[in-house]
C-alpha cells in the first residue's frame, strides 16, 4: 500500500513541473539546465541530507547534560524551506501568452528535512533523519506561494518520512522528480572527553562529528561511501563564550556539483570568523576563501533582540536543570552583508558580489520544572525560526545558481 | 505587508532571454566540456577567457534562439577524445555545429 502510494506520488511529483499552455520545453545543452540538474542532487545530498545532522541534530545548542538524566531524552528537528528562483532555465515558454517564445524560467526548490535524536542516560544514543527535495517552476506569484504552502510542504514531509523506501523507486531518482535521502546513526556522549557521532547517509556517505563542549571544539565531516573523498568538512572552534559574546573560528570545505562521474568537484575552502552577540545585540563576521579563488566569500553585519540566543545558551552543562517559564517569546534577528560568488564558467556562473539579507523571527521557549526529571516532570526546550533570506549565503554555497533567490523557511528544534 | 510585497517582487515567472545569452552559452559549454573531460579547472577557465577575447557575439533574432543554442548543446556532447583533440584551438570547437557560425565571429 505504501509502495503504491509512493509510486503515485512520485509520478505526480514528476508531472508537477508542468505549467499552462503547453508545458515549457527546457532546452537541453544549456548551462542553467545542466548546472541545475547537478546542483539539485548536490543540494539534496549535502545540504538537506547529511548537513541536517550537522545543523540540527548534532550541534551543541540546547543540549542539556544527557547523562545526568534517567531514561531517554529526545530531540526533533524539522526544516522546511522553499527557495524561489534557485536557477534560471532557458525554455520555450508559454506563460507570456506567446507559446514558443524563448525565455528564462525560474526554477524553485522545496526542501524538507526532519530528524530525531534519542539519547539514553548511559550516554549512548541513536539518530534517524529523512529529507527530500522537489523541483518546481511556477508561472506567477500566486501559483508559486500557494503551491509551496498547500502542496509541497505536505509532499516533502511525507517523502522525508518515507525516504528509506524511496531509493527503491526509479522515478524518485529522477533529478526532475523527487530527491530523497535518509540517515541513521549512533551517538556516544563521553561528556568531558567529547561527544562522538557516526551516521550513514544513503546519498552522501559517512557523517562523522566529534565535539568537545567545554572548549567548543568541533570536527565535522562527510566522507564519501568508498572513503575516497571528503565533500564536507568543518573544523575549529564554534561559538566560544566570553564577555564579548561568542567567538567562532571555523575552517570549512564544501564541494560544488561534479560535472561528470570522472570529474573532480570544484571546492570551496574558507574560514568563518565571527563575533556574535556583542553587547547582546550585534553580530559581525567574515569568511575569507581561497578556493576556487581568493575572495571574501561573505561579510555580515547583524542585529538582534537581546533574547535571541537565550534559550540555547543558558542551558548550563554543569547543572541538571535549565529553568524556563514555559512561555514562548518572539525574538527578531536581522542580518545583511555581501556575498561573493566564485567565477565558475563551467556552471554558467560568472561570479561577482551581491547584497544579501536575512530576517529571522525566532520563538524561544523553555519549559519549567526540569529539575524534577526523576518525578516525571520533563522539561522542554524549543526554538522555532521563521526565516526569510534573499541571496542566502548558505544556499549559494551549495547552489551557486541561486543568485537573486528568496528562501522562506521554517526550522523547528524541539527537545523533551 | 512589507514581506508580502517582497514575496511578490521575487515571485515573477518568465524573464526575457538576455541578448547575448546564446553566445555566452558557447563559452560556458567549452569550459564545461574541458573541465568535465580533463578535470583541469585552470585550463577550463583559460579557454573561457580565450573565447571571450577571441570571439564576438553576433546579433541574433530571438525566434532563432532554440536552433542557435544547438551550438552550445553540441559542444557539451562532444566526446572527451574529440575535446582533447580540439585542445586550445577554439575554431575546431566551433566547427562542431553549423549553428556556431551564426552565433559568434572572430573578434576584430
Amino acid at each position: 500500500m505504501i509502495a503504491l502510494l509512493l509510486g503515485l506520488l512520485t509520478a505526480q511529483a514528476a508531472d508537477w513541473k508542468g505549467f499552462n499552455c503547453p508545458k515549457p520545453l527546457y532546452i537541453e545543452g544549456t548551462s542553467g539546465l545542466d548546472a541545475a540538474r547537478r546542483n539539485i542532487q548536490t543540494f539534496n545530498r549535502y545540504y538537506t541530507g547529511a548537513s541536517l545532522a550537522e545543523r540540527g541534530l548534532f550541534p551543541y545548542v540546547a543540549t542539556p547534560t544527557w547523562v545526568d538524566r534517567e531514561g531517554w531524552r529526545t530531540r526533533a528537528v524539522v526544516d522546511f524551506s522553499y527557495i524561489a528562483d534557485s536557477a534560471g532555465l532557458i525554455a520555450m515558454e508559454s506563460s507570456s501568452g506567446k507559446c514558443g517564445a524563448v525565455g528564462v524560467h525560474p526554477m524553485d526548490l522545496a526542501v524538507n528535512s526532519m530528524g530525531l535524536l534519542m539519547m539514553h542516560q548511559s550516554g549512548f544514543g541513536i539518530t534517524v533523519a529523512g529529507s527530500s527535495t522537489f523541483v518546481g517552476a511556477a508561472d506567477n506569484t500566486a501559483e508559486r506561494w500557494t503551491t509551496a504552502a498547500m502542496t509541497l510542504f505536505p509532499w516533502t514531509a511525507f517523502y522525508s518520512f518515507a525516504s528509506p523506501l524511496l531509493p527503491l523507486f526509479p522515478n524518485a531518482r529522477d533529478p526532475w522528480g523527487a530527491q530523497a535521502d535518509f540517515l541513521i546513526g549512533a551517538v556516544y556522549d563521553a561528556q568531558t572527553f567529547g561527544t562522538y557521532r557516526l551516521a550513514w547517509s544513503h546519498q552522501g556517505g559517512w557523517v562523522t562529528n566529534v565535539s568537545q563542549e567545554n572548549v567548543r571544539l568541533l570536527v565535522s565531516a562527510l566522507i564519501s561511501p568508498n572513503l575516497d573523498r571528503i565533500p564536507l568538512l568543518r573544523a575549529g572552534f564554534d561559538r566560544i563564550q566570553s564577555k564579548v559574546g561568542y567567538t567562532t573560528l571555523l575552517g570549512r570545505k564544501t564541494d560544488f556539483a561534479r560535472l561528470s562521474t570522472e570529474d573532480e568537484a570544484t571546492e570551496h575552502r574558507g574560514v568563518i570568523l565571527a563575533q556574535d552577540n556583542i553587547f547582546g545585540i550585534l553580530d559581525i563576521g567574515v569568511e575569507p576563501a581561497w578556493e576556487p579563488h581568493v575572495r571574501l566569500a561573505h561579510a555580515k553585519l547583524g542585529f538582534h533582540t537581546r533574547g535571541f540566543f537565550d534559550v540555547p545558551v543558558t542551558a548550563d552543562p554543569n547543572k541538571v536543570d535549565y529553568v524556563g517559564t514555559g512561555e514562548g517569546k518572539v525574538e527578531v534577528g536581522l542580518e545583511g552583508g555581501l556575498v561573493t560568488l566564485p567565477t565558475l564558467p563551467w556552471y554558467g556562473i560568472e561570479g561577482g558580489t551581491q547584497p544579501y539579507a536575512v530576517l529571522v523571527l525566532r520563538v524561544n521557549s523553555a519549559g519549567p520544572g526540569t529539575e524534577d526529571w526523576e518525578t516525571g516532570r520533563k522539561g522542554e526546550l524549543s526554538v522555532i525560526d521563521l526565516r526569510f533570506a534573499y541571496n542566502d549565503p548558505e544556499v549559494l554555497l551549495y547552489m551557486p545558481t541561486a543568485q537573486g533567490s528568496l528562501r522562506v523557511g521554517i526550522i523547528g528544534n524541539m527537545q523533551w | 505587508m512589507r514581506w508580502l510585497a517582497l514575496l511578490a517582487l521575487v515571485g515573477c515567472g518568465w524573464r526575457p532571454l538576455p541578448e547575448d545569452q546564446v553566445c555566452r552559452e558557447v563559452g560556458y559549454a567549452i569550459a564545461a566540456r574541458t573541465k568535465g573531460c580533463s578535470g583541469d579547472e585552470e585550463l577550463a577557465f583559460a579557454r573561457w577567457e580565450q573565447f571571450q577575447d577571441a570571439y564576438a557575439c553576433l546579433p541574433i533574432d530571438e525566434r532563432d534562439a532554440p536552433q542557435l543554442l544547438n551550438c552550445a548543446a553540441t559542444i557539451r556532447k562532444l566526446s572527451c577524445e574529440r575535446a582533447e583533440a580540439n585542445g586550445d584551438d577554439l575554431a575546431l570547437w566551433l566547427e562542431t555545429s553549423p549553428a556556431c557560425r551564426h552565433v559568434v565571429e572572430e573578434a576584430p
Side-chain angles (χ1 to χ4, degrees), chain A residues 51-276:
Chain A
S51 81
L52 169 73
E54 188 187 66
R55 287 178 291 120
L57 292 171
F58 292 160
Y60 316 96
V61 284
T63 305
T65 49
W66 303 100
V67 293
D68 289 345
R69 312 265 175 192
E70 288 197 351
W72 294 87
R73 288 191 68 89
T74 307
R75 172 184 296 169
V77 181
V78 178
D79 182 344
F80 175 77
S81 288
Y82 191 82
I83 302 164
D85 214 350
S86 63
L89 309 182
I90 298 175
M92 299 276 280
E93 187 54 86
S94 59
S95 60
S96 60
K98 303 183 291 180
C99 290
V102 177
V104 180
H105 202 291
M107 185 193 80
D108 299 350
L109 281 186
V111 295
N112 175 279
S113 37
M114 50 180 66
L116 209 61
L117 171 67
M118 293 184 69
M119 290 293 295
H120 189 256
Q121 62 177 356
S122 60
F124 286 98
I126 54 170
T127 186
V128 290
S131 67
S132 65
T133 306
F134 276 72
V135 181
D139 277 342
N140 56 59
T141 307
E143 183 185 332
R144 168 177 279 167
W145 298 108
T146 52
T147 309
M150 306 296 291
T151 313
L152 292 179
F153 179 73
W155 268 6
T156 53
F158 176 81
Y159 268 59
S160 294
F161 268 120
S163 57
L165 298 174
L166 283 173
L168 303 174
F169 297 90
N171 274 352
R173 305 185 79 128
D174 171 7
W176 299 117
Q179 294 278 302
D181 192 13
F182 65 91
L183 177 144
I184 184 163
V187 177
Y188 177 61
D189 185 348
Q191 287 204 294
T192 311
F193 301 104
T195 306
Y196 306 88
R197 296 98 168 177
L198 181 65
W200 168 254
S201 154
H202 176 74
Q203 295 267 15
W206 295 100
V207 182
T208 60
N209 180 300
V210 177
S211 63
Q212 208 292 334
E213 189 159 352
N214 295 339
V215 293
R216 310 296 291 182
L217 177 68
L218 172 73
V219 179
S220 182
L222 173 68
I223 303 169
S224 64
N226 43 6
L227 307 178
D228 61 342
R229 291 188 304 115
I230 302 180
L232 301 180
L233 176 66
R234 283 204 312 159
F237 297 94
D238 187 21
R239 296 165 60 85
I240 302 167
Q241 192 168 2
S242 69
K243 287 179 182 174
V244 287
Y246 310 116
T247 307
T248 295
L249 173 58
L250 273 175
R252 76 167 156 183
K253 168 192 178 294
T254 307
D255 277 7
F256 293 109
R258 292 197 292 174
L259 289 172
S260 65
T261 48
E262 300 81 22
D263 181 35
E264 289 297 319
T266 302
E267 295 178 352
H268 164 91
R269 293 185 191 213
V271 178
I272 302 167
L273 302 163
Q275 187 67 37
D276 294 324

Side-chain angles (χ1 to χ4, degrees), chain B residues 40-102:
Chain B
D40 189 336
E41 290 181 7
E42 282 183 26
L43 181 61
F45 191 81
R47 282 188 186 155
W48 176 65
E49 286 195 314
Q50 185 190 345
F51 171 80
Q52 288 190 306
D53 292 342
Y55 288 89
C57 298
L58 290 170
I60 64 163
D61 188 317
E62 187 194 292
R63 286 169 298 185
D64 297 331
Q67 289 74 39
L68 298 181
L69 281 165
N70 183 258
C71 173
T74 309
I75 290 172
R76 282 179 185 272
K77 283 190 274 190
L78 274 182
S79 68
C80 284
E81 290 76 18
R82 178 76 189 276
E84 199 176 319
N86 289 346
D88 290 333
D89 190 341
L90 295 187
L92 288 177
W93 287 85
L94 297 173
E95 280 175 11
T96 306
S97 160
C100 296
R101 73 173 74 103
H102 303 291

Side-chain angles (χ1 to χ4, degrees), chain A residues 31 93 104 144 264 350, chain B residues 10 14 24-25 28 35:
Chain A
S31 61
E93 187 54 86
V104 180
R144 168 177 279 167
E264 289 297 319
E350 297 198 11
Chain B
V10 296
W14 154 274
R24 287 183 173 280
E25 289 292 334
Y28 299 152
K35 181 179 176 335

Side-chain angles (χ1 to χ4, degrees), chain A residues 3-4 81 123 175 222 235 250 275 312 316 322 331 349 356:
Chain A
L4 179 62
S81 288
L222 173 68
L250 273 175
Q275 187 67 37
D316 184 344
Y322 46 86
E331 305 289 346
I349 294 162
Y356 82 91

